[in-house]
Amino acid sequence: MTHPTFSNLRIDIDRLLGRLMALGQDGALEGGGVCRLALSDTDKLGRDRVVGWMKELGLTVTVDKVGNLKGVLPGREDLPPVMIGSHIDTVATGGLYDGNLGVLAGLEVVSVLKDSGYVPLRPIVVAAFTNEEGSRFAPDMMGSAVDRGSLPLDEALAIKDAEGFVVGEELARIGYAGETDPGHIDPYCFFEIHVEQGPVLEEEGDLIGAVTGVQGISWTEYVIEGESNHAGTTPMRLRHDAGFAAAAVAVAARKVAGAIGDSQVATVGVNELDPNLVNVIARKARMTVDLRNIDEVKLQQAESMLAAEIEAICKAEGVSYIARKLARFEPVMFDSSMVDLIAGTAKEQGYAVRRMPSGAGHDAQMFAPNCPTAMVFVPSKGGISHNIEEYTAPEELQAGANVLLQAALTKAEE
Ligand code: HGY
Ligand code: MN
Ligand code: MN
Ligand code: MN
């Protein structure tokens, strides 16, 4: 499986940890963790730092029109490159590893090549995609979706956050409205290493996940309009309570997940009431529902079941609602030969490996329809992520990055 010329190469875990901790300073939260929302001032700090490292490594750096960063290390021949990518934006209660590991492990691969003097046949590209999280600007995976053509650039640049800030203007404000056309590099193949963000590897005692595919994602925002009124004087029969309707929708989403079963998940992550006062019946509720399933047909079933529930809830309460689709990605399966490569490389290095789907969305899912794509998972302590307690042990990071190194160099010699 591995090539004699590079099978002895290994990553430097102290250097990788050093970069992870340094990047974790950009948007560091008081009690630990990181808040580096896409296109915020802290995202700029992180971008500046990563671009600095790319330049130190002698990479040719490009910033495209949606702010995707790419650093190119030439190969022996000018062939379609092996791309290693992920994201450095985080959710507001983010950890040190989600996304960041994927970009910094890519830089670590480049550092190992620089140290060893080994030049692979194909160029290596390290990419950091804009707004993978989608917490501030929906949809998620925005930069990689634009890069792969599944989201039009102009549409992305016009998207607003809840406060009315616009993607294109925020990119310019932080100095990352690049000149290059997104998607200017079509990779030979794509790798993403990522923390699992779930409990499976830890519970099963496996060290490496050879990811088989990524769940489909359906994000919908509901703005429910009722009638504000006095909490004490308004008889129950006369209420049009947007807050109650929103709560009933959350219960319905949970019910739908139970009815569909298997890998179906449903989350109400946003639920804002207006005027949000103890003695006022809410006139308005803005909420979101995140539905996911690895099976597209079941995901569609979940969407239509929930739609029927919401229609009935709002009718019964005498409130109106507007639904707005924030994101919709179909499930993807990764190229089986790439999954085999990850599993085989991990086994060769003596790591317990399991094939598994990803519950979280990833930039890799945007590349899967275009080119052979693989993901390497490493365990998340307690299955925790999107939480400041997110943690993966150094030896686990080291194992995952070494599997990435060997797998990426194997492809770079094809
Ligand atoms: O929502 C997700 O799964 C990813 O973290 N954007
Ligand atoms: Mn991520
Ligand atoms: Mn995430
Ligand atoms: Mn990802």
Side-chain angles (χ1 to χ4, degrees):
M1 186 71 82
T2 49
H3 213 275
T5 44
F6 57 77
S7 56
N8 61 333
L9 294 182
R10 291 288 179 272
I11 68 118
D12 176 337
I13 185 58
D14 294 330
R15 181 167 54 196
L16 175 55
L17 282 173
R19 289 193 174 124
L20 276 164
M21 298 307 136
L23 182 55
Q25 293 313 305
D26 302 330
L29 292 166
E30 278 301 296
V34 183
C35 175
R36 194 160 55 235
L37 289 172
L39 310 185
S40 63
D41 292 341
T42 51
D43 188 23
K44 172 179 175 47
L45 293 176
R47 285 166 169 268
D48 292 349
R49 192 183 296 268
V50 167
V51 168
W53 282 328
M54 286 182 169
K55 288 183 175 164
E56 272 169 31
L57 286 166
L59 300 183
T60 307
V61 182
T62 57
V63 181
D64 72 23
K65 292 174 180 167
V66 74
N68 294 324
L69 305 178
K70 289 186 184 127
V72 182
L73 177 77
R76 299 195 301 272
E77 291 182 23
D78 183 16
L79 293 166
V82 170
M83 189 178 285
I84 301 170
S86 194
H87 61 96
I88 64 165
D89 64 301
T90 73
V91 295
T93 53
L96 288 174
Y97 309 96
D98 175 356
N100 305 311
L101 171 64
V103 175
L104 299 185
L107 291 184
E108 178 54 28
V109 167
V110 170
S111 302
V112 171
L113 294 175
K114 288 284 178 181
D115 290 350
S116 65
Y118 172 62
V119 180
L121 174 68
R122 293 179 177 275
I124 303 285
V125 176
V126 180
F129 295 103
T130 294
N131 186 34
E132 187 275 350
E133 291 295 357
S135 306
R136 183 184 173 198
F137 298 101
D140 53 349
M141 282 76 77
M142 180 187 280
S144 46
V146 171
D147 189 284
R148 292 296 89 198
S150 48
L151 175 64
L153 172 64
D154 294 346
E155 192 179 314
L157 295 177
I159 286 169
K160 291 183 181 161
D161 68 7
E163 291 162 66
F165 290 102
V166 186
V167 166
E169 291 166 14
E170 285 293 274
L171 274 169
R173 184 182 67 81
I174 66 167
Y176 281 93
E179 306 284 310
T180 316
D181 284 331
H184 64 106
I185 297 178
D186 276 327
Y188 172 65
C189 62
F190 184 88
F191 288 94
E192 180 171 5
I193 179 173
H194 206 288
V195 288
E196 179 204 334
Q197 302 181 290
V200 175
L201 287 174
E202 186 179 67
E203 282 177 356
E204 302 296 333
D206 290 315
L207 179 47
I208 300 292
V211 185
T212 51
V214 184
Q215 287 198 108
I217 300 177
S218 164
W219 285 1
T220 309
E221 174 196 66
Y222 297 98
V223 177
I224 301 170
E225 304 247 8
E227 186 181 74
S228 68
N229 214 325
H230 195 295
T233 59
T234 312
M236 296 312 283
R237 60 186 166 78
L238 294 181
R239 295 183 179 215
H240 303 295
D241 183 343
F244 168 76
V249 169
V251 171
R254 179 62 66 94
K255 200 172 108 187
V256 164
I260 299 285
D262 293 335
S263 79
Q264 183 62 49
V265 289
T267 310
V268 171
V270 173
N271 194 350
E272 295 162 346
L273 300 185
D274 170 22
N276 206 31
L277 298 171
V278 61
N279 57 353
V280 179
I281 297 168
R283 67 179 159 201
K284 197 167 158 185
R286 186 179 82 85
M287 68 186 297
T288 59
V289 180
D290 174 327
L291 297 172
R292 306 202 194 191
N293 200 309
I294 193 73
D295 176 323
E296 174 62 16
V297 171
K298 290 188 174 166
L299 184 54
Q300 288 179 20
Q301 276 172 355
E303 287 175 315
S304 40
M305 277 176 78
L306 185 64
E309 291 275 353
I310 290 177
E311 186 61 30
I313 288 163
C314 291
K315 193 156 173 251
E317 186 61 21
V319 298
S320 65
Y321 71 96
I322 296 169
R324 183 164 70 97
K325 193 55 90 185
L326 298 178
R328 183 59 166 95
F329 297 116
E330 295 200 0
V332 295
M333 298 312 285
F334 292 138
D335 177 298
S336 59
S337 68
M338 293 287 276
V339 182
D340 292 345
L341 173 63
I342 300 299
T345 305
K347 266 198 203 99
E348 247 184 29
Q349 298 192 21
Y351 302 133
V353 57
R354 83 179 290 111
R355 293 160 188 260
M356 60 189 289
S358 171
H362 294 291
D363 294 308
Q365 80 190 85
M366 296 301 138
F367 281 82
N370 291 143
C371 67
T373 298
M375 288 193 76
V376 181
F377 269 175
V378 288
S380 291
K381 190 166 184 306
I384 297 277
S385 182
H386 284 190
N387 179 314
I388 63 169
E389 301 300 328
E390 183 183 86
Y391 179 75
T392 298
E395 60 276 12
E396 295 168 330
L397 298 168
Q398 185 175 21
N402 276 322
V403 169
L404 171 76
L405 172 73
Q406 289 297 323
L409 294 185
T410 300
K411 292 299 283 184
E413 285 302 332
E414 282 184 356

Tab-separated table of all heavy atoms in Angstrom, residues 322-358:
chain	number	residue	atom	x	y	z
A	322	ILE	N	-43.983	31.517	8.198
A	322	ILE	CA	-43.239	31.518	6.928
A	322	ILE	C	-42.051	30.579	7.109
A	322	ILE	O	-41.299	30.708	8.088
A	322	ILE	CB	-42.735	32.940	6.567
A	322	ILE	CG1	-43.926	33.876	6.331
A	322	ILE	CG2	-41.841	32.911	5.324
A	322	ILE	CD1	-43.541	35.354	6.222
A	323	ALA	N	-41.934	29.627	6.185
A	323	ALA	CA	-40.798	28.688	6.231
A	323	ALA	C	-39.753	29.131	5.212
A	323	ALA	O	-40.101	29.534	4.101
A	323	ALA	CB	-41.286	27.284	5.918
A	324	ARG	N	-38.474	29.115	5.605
A	324	ARG	CA	-37.404	29.497	4.667
A	324	ARG	C	-36.314	28.430	4.734
A	324	ARG	O	-35.786	28.140	5.800
A	324	ARG	CB	-36.828	30.859	5.069
A	324	ARG	CG	-35.747	31.403	4.139
A	324	ARG	CD	-35.540	32.912	4.387
A	324	ARG	NE	-34.911	33.167	5.668
A	324	ARG	CZ	-33.576	33.368	5.804
A	324	ARG	NH1	-32.770	33.279	4.758
A	324	ARG	NH2	-33.051	33.611	6.996
A	325	LYS	N	-36.006	27.790	3.619
A	325	LYS	CA	-34.983	26.755	3.570
A	325	LYS	C	-33.614	27.413	3.704
A	325	LYS	O	-33.256	28.258	2.873
A	325	LYS	CB	-35.095	25.975	2.250
A	325	LYS	CG	-34.312	24.683	2.174
A	325	LYS	CD	-34.627	23.726	3.271
A	325	LYS	CE	-35.759	22.770	2.926
A	325	LYS	NZ	-36.115	21.926	4.090
A	326	LEU	N	-32.854	27.041	4.727
A	326	LEU	CA	-31.531	27.651	4.936
A	326	LEU	C	-30.418	26.809	4.324
A	326	LEU	O	-29.360	27.323	3.977
A	326	LEU	CB	-31.262	27.808	6.442
A	326	LEU	CG	-32.214	28.714	7.215
A	326	LEU	CD1	-31.826	28.716	8.705
A	326	LEU	CD2	-32.195	30.143	6.659
A	327	ALA	N	-30.631	25.520	4.276
A	327	ALA	CA	-29.608	24.631	3.696
A	327	ALA	C	-30.282	23.307	3.345
A	327	ALA	O	-31.185	22.846	4.050
A	327	ALA	CB	-28.471	24.380	4.690
A	328	ARG	N	-29.813	22.707	2.240
A	328	ARG	CA	-30.333	21.383	1.891
A	328	ARG	C	-29.260	20.653	1.092
A	328	ARG	O	-28.939	21.054	-0.028
A	328	ARG	CB	-31.606	21.495	1.047
A	328	ARG	CG	-32.250	20.140	0.694
A	328	ARG	CD	-32.611	19.369	1.906
A	328	ARG	NE	-33.504	18.246	1.665
A	328	ARG	CZ	-33.092	16.988	1.468
A	328	ARG	NH1	-31.786	16.705	1.438
A	328	ARG	NH2	-33.972	16.016	1.319
A	329	PHE	N	-28.641	19.651	1.711
A	329	PHE	CA	-27.613	18.875	1.018
A	329	PHE	C	-28.014	17.404	1.064
A	329	PHE	O	-28.426	16.911	2.120
A	329	PHE	CB	-26.249	19.055	1.706
A	329	PHE	CG	-25.732	20.474	1.665
A	329	PHE	CD1	-25.565	21.201	2.834
A	329	PHE	CD2	-25.442	21.093	0.458
A	329	PHE	CE1	-25.108	22.511	2.811
A	329	PHE	CE2	-24.967	22.402	0.416
A	329	PHE	CZ	-24.799	23.111	1.588
A	330	GLU	N	-27.896	16.722	-0.068
A	330	GLU	CA	-28.216	15.301	-0.082
A	330	GLU	C	-27.074	14.496	0.559
A	330	GLU	O	-25.941	14.967	0.594
A	330	GLU	CB	-28.422	14.847	-1.534
A	330	GLU	CG	-29.635	15.517	-2.153
A	330	GLU	CD	-30.160	14.761	-3.368
A	330	GLU	OE1	-29.580	13.708	-3.723
A	330	GLU	OE2	-31.154	15.208	-3.949
A	331	PRO	N	-27.378	13.305	1.024
A	331	PRO	CA	-26.302	12.465	1.567
A	331	PRO	C	-25.284	12.155	0.467
A	331	PRO	O	-25.635	12.149	-0.722
A	331	PRO	CB	-27.032	11.179	1.972
A	331	PRO	CG	-28.482	11.512	1.998
A	331	PRO	CD	-28.692	12.647	1.053
A	332	VAL	N	-24.030	11.982	0.821
A	332	VAL	CA	-23.036	11.546	-0.170
A	332	VAL	C	-22.340	10.296	0.347
A	332	VAL	O	-22.213	10.104	1.567
A	332	VAL	CB	-21.963	12.633	-0.457
A	332	VAL	CG1	-22.573	13.853	-1.099
A	332	VAL	CG2	-21.167	12.994	0.788
A	333	MET	N	-21.917	9.438	-0.564
A	333	MET	CA	-21.082	8.276	-0.230
A	333	MET	C	-19.697	8.543	-0.830
A	333	MET	O	-19.600	9.046	-1.954
A	333	MET	CB	-21.671	6.988	-0.820
A	333	MET	CG	-23.067	6.636	-0.285
A	333	MET	SD	-23.179	6.733	1.522
A	333	MET	CE	-22.302	5.215	1.960
A	334	PHE	N	-18.644	8.227	-0.086
A	334	PHE	CA	-17.294	8.446	-0.604
A	334	PHE	C	-16.870	7.253	-1.472
A	334	PHE	O	-17.333	6.140	-1.276
A	334	PHE	CB	-16.309	8.650	0.555
A	334	PHE	CG	-16.529	9.933	1.321
A	334	PHE	CD1	-16.453	9.963	2.704
A	334	PHE	CD2	-16.816	11.121	0.662
A	334	PHE	CE1	-16.669	11.146	3.417
A	334	PHE	CE2	-17.037	12.307	1.350
A	334	PHE	CZ	-16.959	12.318	2.725
A	335	ASP	N	-15.998	7.554	-2.404
A	335	ASP	CA	-15.444	6.569	-3.340
A	335	ASP	C	-14.861	5.384	-2.543
A	335	ASP	O	-14.007	5.579	-1.658
A	335	ASP	CB	-14.341	7.317	-4.116
A	335	ASP	CG	-13.598	6.442	-5.085
A	335	ASP	OD1	-12.954	5.472	-4.635
A	335	ASP	OD2	-13.673	6.720	-6.289
A	336	SER	N	-15.335	4.188	-2.847
A	336	SER	CA	-14.958	3.037	-2.011
A	336	SER	C	-13.447	2.779	-2.023
A	336	SER	O	-12.870	2.370	-1.008
A	336	SER	CB	-15.724	1.790	-2.457
A	336	SER	OG	-15.408	1.551	-3.810
A	337	SER	N	-12.794	3.092	-3.149
A	337	SER	CA	-11.341	2.841	-3.168
A	337	SER	C	-10.627	3.814	-2.215
A	337	SER	O	-9.599	3.471	-1.625
A	337	SER	CB	-10.803	3.012	-4.600
A	337	SER	OG	-10.887	4.380	-4.984
A	338	MET	N	-11.196	4.995	-2.034
A	338	MET	CA	-10.581	5.956	-1.109
A	338	MET	C	-10.842	5.520	0.337
A	338	MET	O	-9.961	5.631	1.203
A	338	MET	CB	-11.146	7.359	-1.340
A	338	MET	CG	-10.781	7.969	-2.660
A	338	MET	SD	-9.052	8.463	-2.699
A	338	MET	CE	-9.162	10.089	-1.927
A	339	VAL	N	-12.029	4.992	0.586
A	339	VAL	CA	-12.325	4.499	1.950
A	339	VAL	C	-11.400	3.316	2.258
A	339	VAL	O	-10.814	3.225	3.336
A	339	VAL	CB	-13.803	4.085	2.069
A	339	VAL	CG1	-14.123	3.619	3.484
A	339	VAL	CG2	-14.746	5.236	1.694
A	340	ASP	N	-11.219	2.450	1.246
A	340	ASP	CA	-10.302	1.306	1.417
A	340	ASP	C	-8.881	1.798	1.693
A	340	ASP	O	-8.157	1.227	2.514
A	340	ASP	CB	-10.282	0.426	0.158
A	340	ASP	CG	-11.608	-0.299	-0.068
A	340	ASP	OD1	-12.421	-0.351	0.887
A	340	ASP	OD2	-11.840	-0.779	-1.198
A	341	LEU	N	-8.480	2.864	0.997
A	341	LEU	CA	-7.122	3.399	1.187
A	341	LEU	C	-6.932	3.854	2.642
A	341	LEU	O	-5.925	3.538	3.291
A	341	LEU	CB	-6.882	4.572	0.229
A	341	LEU	CG	-5.576	5.353	0.414
A	341	LEU	CD1	-4.361	4.471	0.149
A	341	LEU	CD2	-5.548	6.593	-0.497
A	342	ILE	N	-7.922	4.562	3.169
A	342	ILE	CA	-7.820	5.034	4.575
A	342	ILE	C	-7.782	3.826	5.515
A	342	ILE	O	-6.922	3.730	6.400
A	342	ILE	CB	-9.009	5.950	4.933
A	342	ILE	CG1	-9.043	7.184	4.011
A	342	ILE	CG2	-8.959	6.346	6.407
A	342	ILE	CD1	-7.843	8.063	4.069
A	343	ALA	N	-8.690	2.894	5.297
A	343	ALA	CA	-8.752	1.724	6.193
A	343	ALA	C	-7.455	0.911	6.102
A	343	ALA	O	-6.868	0.534	7.130
A	343	ALA	CB	-9.957	0.861	5.836
A	344	GLY	N	-6.967	0.713	4.861
A	344	GLY	CA	-5.743	-0.073	4.677
A	344	GLY	C	-4.526	0.618	5.270
A	344	GLY	O	-3.696	-0.009	5.940
A	345	THR	N	-4.453	1.926	5.093
A	345	THR	CA	-3.305	2.684	5.630
A	345	THR	C	-3.313	2.649	7.159
A	345	THR	O	-2.283	2.469	7.802
A	345	THR	CB	-3.358	4.143	5.130
A	345	THR	OG1	-3.436	4.141	3.698
A	345	THR	CG2	-2.145	4.936	5.576
A	346	ALA	N	-4.498	2.795	7.723
A	346	ALA	CA	-4.603	2.755	9.199
A	346	ALA	C	-4.181	1.385	9.727
A	346	ALA	O	-3.412	1.273	10.685
A	346	ALA	CB	-6.031	3.066	9.624
A	347	LYS	N	-4.668	0.346	9.066
A	347	LYS	CA	-4.328	-1.035	9.490
A	347	LYS	C	-2.817	-1.233	9.397
A	347	LYS	O	-2.176	-1.735	10.318
A	347	LYS	CB	-5.033	-2.048	8.593
A	347	LYS	CG	-6.352	-2.516	9.164
A	347	LYS	CD	-6.863	-3.810	8.537
A	347	LYS	CE	-8.373	-3.868	8.732
A	347	LYS	NZ	-9.088	-3.440	7.518
A	348	GLU	N	-2.227	-0.778	8.295
A	348	GLU	CA	-0.787	-0.924	8.095
A	348	GLU	C	0.001	-0.267	9.222
A	348	GLU	O	1.057	-0.736	9.620
A	348	GLU	CB	-0.394	-0.231	6.786
A	348	GLU	CG	0.060	-1.188	5.741
A	348	GLU	CD	0.517	-0.424	4.506
A	348	GLU	OE1	0.983	0.710	4.637
A	348	GLU	OE2	0.363	-0.997	3.437
A	349	GLN	N	-0.567	0.827	9.747
A	349	GLN	CA	0.147	1.538	10.819
A	349	GLN	C	-0.245	0.993	12.194
A	349	GLN	O	0.114	1.555	13.220
A	349	GLN	CB	-0.119	3.050	10.717
A	349	GLN	CG	0.394	3.627	9.402
A	349	GLN	CD	0.421	5.165	9.391
A	349	GLN	OE1	0.425	5.809	10.425
A	349	GLN	NE2	0.437	5.733	8.186
A	350	GLY	N	-1.061	-0.072	12.150
A	350	GLY	CA	-1.392	-0.759	13.406
A	350	GLY	C	-2.504	-0.117	14.201
A	350	GLY	O	-2.635	-0.350	15.407
A	351	TYR	N	-3.339	0.696	13.553
A	351	TYR	CA	-4.426	1.367	14.275
A	351	TYR	C	-5.746	0.624	14.068
A	351	TYR	O	-6.062	0.198	12.966
A	351	TYR	CB	-4.604	2.807	13.768
A	351	TYR	CG	-3.363	3.667	13.888
A	351	TYR	CD1	-2.938	4.449	12.823
A	351	TYR	CD2	-2.580	3.666	15.052
A	351	TYR	CE1	-1.800	5.237	12.913
A	351	TYR	CE2	-1.433	4.445	15.150
A	351	TYR	CZ	-1.049	5.231	14.081
A	351	TYR	OH	0.076	6.013	14.166
A	352	ALA	N	-6.546	0.546	15.132
A	352	ALA	CA	-7.886	-0.041	15.017
A	352	ALA	C	-8.751	0.933	14.224
A	352	ALA	O	-8.853	2.102	14.588
A	352	ALA	CB	-8.475	-0.265	16.402
A	353	VAL	N	-9.330	0.467	13.152
A	353	VAL	CA	-10.068	1.366	12.250
A	353	VAL	C	-11.473	0.823	12.019
A	353	VAL	O	-11.689	-0.389	12.052
A	353	VAL	CB	-9.316	1.514	10.901
A	353	VAL	CG1	-9.086	0.171	10.222
A	353	VAL	CG2	-10.031	2.481	9.957
A	354	ARG	N	-12.423	1.739	11.891
A	354	ARG	CA	-13.793	1.290	11.568
A	354	ARG	C	-14.369	2.154	10.455
A	354	ARG	O	-14.105	3.370	10.408
A	354	ARG	CB	-14.661	1.295	12.810
A	354	ARG	CG	-15.272	2.604	13.198
A	354	ARG	CD	-16.165	2.503	14.464
A	354	ARG	NE	-17.401	1.772	14.243
A	354	ARG	CZ	-17.668	0.577	14.777
A	354	ARG	NH1	-16.773	-0.040	15.489
A	354	ARG	NH2	-18.814	0.000	14.554
A	355	ARG	N	-15.116	1.514	9.604
A	355	ARG	CA	-15.802	2.239	8.543
A	355	ARG	C	-17.112	2.800	9.112
A	355	ARG	O	-17.821	2.078	9.802
A	355	ARG	CB	-16.090	1.316	7.349
A	355	ARG	CG	-14.833	0.850	6.636
A	355	ARG	CD	-15.070	-0.392	5.815
A	355	ARG	NE	-13.799	-0.905	5.321
A	355	ARG	CZ	-13.344	-0.694	4.072
A	355	ARG	NH1	-14.067	0.007	3.214
A	355	ARG	NH2	-12.166	-1.168	3.685
A	356	MET	N	-17.371	4.050	8.856
A	356	MET	CA	-18.544	4.666	9.483
A	356	MET	C	-18.995	5.910	8.730
A	356	MET	O	-18.168	6.583	8.106
A	356	MET	CB	-18.177	5.058	10.926
A	356	MET	CG	-17.018	6.040	11.017
A	356	MET	SD	-16.418	6.310	12.692
A	356	MET	CE	-17.771	7.251	13.369
A	357	PRO	N	-20.290	6.225	8.804
A	357	PRO	CA	-20.782	7.456	8.176
A	357	PRO	C	-20.506	8.647	9.092
A	357	PRO	O	-20.244	8.478	10.282
A	357	PRO	CB	-22.279	7.205	8.035
A	357	PRO	CG	-22.613	6.305	9.181
A	357	PRO	CD	-21.393	5.457	9.432
A	358	SER	N	-20.608	9.840	8.502
A	358	SER	CA	-20.438	11.048	9.318
A	358	SER	C	-21.805	11.662	9.625
A	358	SER	O	-22.611	11.885	8.715
A	358	SER	CB	-19.606	12.095	8.569
A	358	SER	OG	-19.647	13.331	9.302
